[in-house]
Amino acid sequence: SLPYLRQEYMRLLIRYGTRQQHLSQQWDFYNIEMNNHNFCVMVAEVDFFVERTSELTVSEVELIRFAVQNILENTISEYTRGIVFRENVNQFVIVMNPLAEPNMEQLAEKCRENVHRYTYQTVSIGLGGEVEEVGQLSASYAQALSALANTFLNGGNSVYTYVEDAVVNAALPRYSYDKEKELLYCLRSANLSKAEEQLDNIWHDWITAPATPNPSIVKTLCLELAHSIHRIFSEKATDSEVKTLENKLADMSSAVSFEDLSRQIREFCRLGCTYLQQRQCSDARMLVDRAITHINGNLHRNLSVADCAR
C-alpha cells in the first residue's frame, strides 16, 4: 500500500504543506527519493477525456489513465527526480526537483509530446513557479492550476506557464448589457439568425480584448448569459420543454473549452427558438381558425376586413 500512501501524502502536501523539521522523517517513511528542497509543480490534464471515453469500458478507460501516468513518470525520471500522482479522473500532478537543462517548460513539452506519441491522447499542462521549501508547494500548485485554466480559451494539447504579470494584467471582458438586451429581444421573437449575430458580437468583445481575458471570468459570463436565455424560453415553453432546456443548461457547466461552451449555447438558442416558433405557428393557426368560423357564421352580414380583425 506504500504507493497509495505516498500519493495521499503528496495530495495533502500540495494543499497544506508540512513542518520542515519533520520532513526528513516523513520522506524516509514514504520512500520519497526527491531532494527535500527546491521544487516545481506541473498539472497535466487529458483533453476532452469524458467525451473521448464515454463509450469505452471501465478497463479501457483505466488503461488510458495508466498509460498516461506511466509515460509522465518515465519522461520525468529520465531528467530529474519527481513523483506523479492522480488528482482527478483526467488529471495528474507532478512534483519534481527543477533543473537548468532542460528547463521546466522544455520538460513539460517533452511530456506533452510523449503522451501524444505513445497513447494518441493529448494533454494540456500547467506549469507553476519554482519554490524553495515544501511548505510553498501549495503556491506552485495553485499557479499550475491557474496556468492550466488557459486551456478553456486556447484549446488543448499545449503547455501553459504561470506568469504573474499576465495574471495581474488579465483583462476583464467588456460586457455590453445593450447587446444582451438586443439578443434576448431577438430570442423572444424567435429570430434565430439575428440572435446568433448578437452572440457573435458579444463573444467578439470578450475574446478580442487588448489583454488576454481571465478564462474563469469568461466561462462565468457565458453561463450567466445562458441562464438569461433560459429565462426567456421558459416564459412560453411547456413543462416538458422547460425540463429539456434545464438539462441542456446543466450540461454547460462541464464544458472544457470556450469553443465547446459557445457551441452548446448556440444549440440551446436553436432549440429554444424552435419551441417558440412552434408555439407561434400554433397560436396563429388558432386565430385563423377563429376568423374562418366567424366569417362562415356571418355570411349573411355585410362583413368587412375590419370586422373580422376585430
Side-chain angles (χ1 to χ4, degrees):
S1 61
L2 187 60
Y4 178 77
L5 290 173
R6 185 164 51 231
Q7 171 175 309
E8 289 303 299
Y9 173 70
M10 294 304 298
R11 291 179 70 178
L12 292 173
L13 207 57
I14 60 174
R15 287 174 170 79
Y16 308 109
T18 187
R19 293 182 179 180
Q20 198 70 22
Q21 60 264 36
H22 297 156
L23 187 62
S24 296
Q25 180 181 352
Q26 290 172 319
W27 283 34
D28 287 342
F29 176 79
Y30 291 112
N31 195 23
I32 297 174
E33 298 179 350
M34 281 189 297
N35 296 330
N36 60 9
H37 62 278
N38 201 14
F39 304 98
C40 182
V41 177
M42 292 195 312
V43 179
E45 188 172 83
V46 182
D47 297 321
F48 311 108
F49 187 76
V50 174
E51 294 87 343
R52 292 176 178 176
T53 59
S54 60
E55 298 183 0
L56 301 181
T57 64
V58 172
S59 58
E60 290 173 322
V61 172
E62 179 55 27
L63 184 60
I64 292 173
R65 297 173 70 205
F66 173 80
V68 171
Q69 181 171 351
N70 192 49
I71 290 168
L72 292 173
E73 288 173 340
N74 289 339
T75 305
I76 296 298
S77 63
E78 187 176 346
Y79 298 97
T80 186
R81 294 176 178 178
I83 293 178
V84 180
F85 56 96
R86 300 180 184 186
E87 180 56 18
N88 293 317
V89 172
N90 65 328
Q91 199 174 85
F92 303 86
V93 177
I94 303 102
V95 179
M96 57 189 168
N97 299 129
L99 63 164
E101 188 64 35
N103 61 39
M104 290 298 93
E105 190 169 353
Q106 292 169 333
L107 182 54
E109 193 63 40
K110 289 180 182 293
C111 289
R112 185 197 64 78
E113 291 174 355
N114 287 344
V115 169
H116 186 50
R117 180 181 299 121
Y118 298 115
T119 70
Y120 304 105
Q121 301 292 322
T122 62
V123 293
S124 298
I125 298 178
L127 180 61
E130 297 182 20
V131 295
E132 183 63 28
E133 299 180 356
V134 169
Q136 299 171 309
L137 276 175
S138 59
S140 184
Y141 174 61
Q143 291 171 354
L145 289 177
S146 177
L148 186 62
N150 287 291
T151 304
F152 179 75
L153 290 179
N154 303 320
N157 199 23
S158 298
V159 172
Y160 304 98
T161 303
Y162 177 84
V163 180
E164 189 166 354
D165 289 342
V167 174
V168 173
N169 297 326
L172 293 174
R174 293 174 294 177
Y175 198 95
S176 172
Y177 287 98
D178 288 338
K179 290 182 179 179
E180 181 193 280
K181 184 177 179 181
E182 181 66 22
L183 167 66
L184 299 181
Y185 175 79
C186 293
L187 292 174
R188 188 174 279 110
S189 58
N191 187 342
L192 180 60
S193 60
K194 190 66 176 178
E196 289 185 322
E197 182 181 324
Q198 287 301 319
L199 276 175
D200 289 334
N201 290 337
I202 291 172
W203 290 333
H204 182 269
D205 288 347
W206 297 353
I207 303 303
T208 60
T212 302
N214 186 310
S216 60
I217 293 178
V218 171
K219 184 171 184 178
T220 298
L221 291 176
C222 283
L223 293 175
E224 288 178 353
L225 185 62
H227 278 84
S228 297
I229 294 170
H230 176 261
R231 285 194 294 271
I232 295 299
F233 292 147
S234 297
E235 293 174 0
K236 297 185 178 181
T238 65
D239 290 345
S240 62
E241 291 170 348
V242 169
K243 186 63 177 177
T244 301
L245 291 169
E246 287 175 348
N247 292 336
K248 296 285 187 182
L249 188 64
D251 291 341
M252 292 182 193
S253 60
S254 59
V256 296
S257 68
F258 175 75
E259 181 180 1
D260 182 33
L261 184 52
S262 59
R263 175 188 56 77
Q264 291 186 48
I265 293 176
R266 286 183 187 278
E267 293 176 354
F268 191 68
C269 289
R270 295 190 188 106
L271 180 60
C273 284
T274 298
Y275 290 154
L276 293 186
Q277 287 167 355
Q278 290 172 349
R279 193 80 62 254
Q280 288 174 351
C281 290
S282 176
D283 293 344
R285 185 69 223 175
M286 288 175 60
L287 289 173
V288 170
D289 289 341
R290 286 176 59 190
I292 293 174
T293 301
H294 178 73
I295 293 170
N296 286 336
N298 293 275
L299 290 175
H300 59 284
R301 296 172 54 196
N302 187 21
L303 287 178
S304 67
V305 173
D307 293 329
C308 294
R310 187 166 56 250

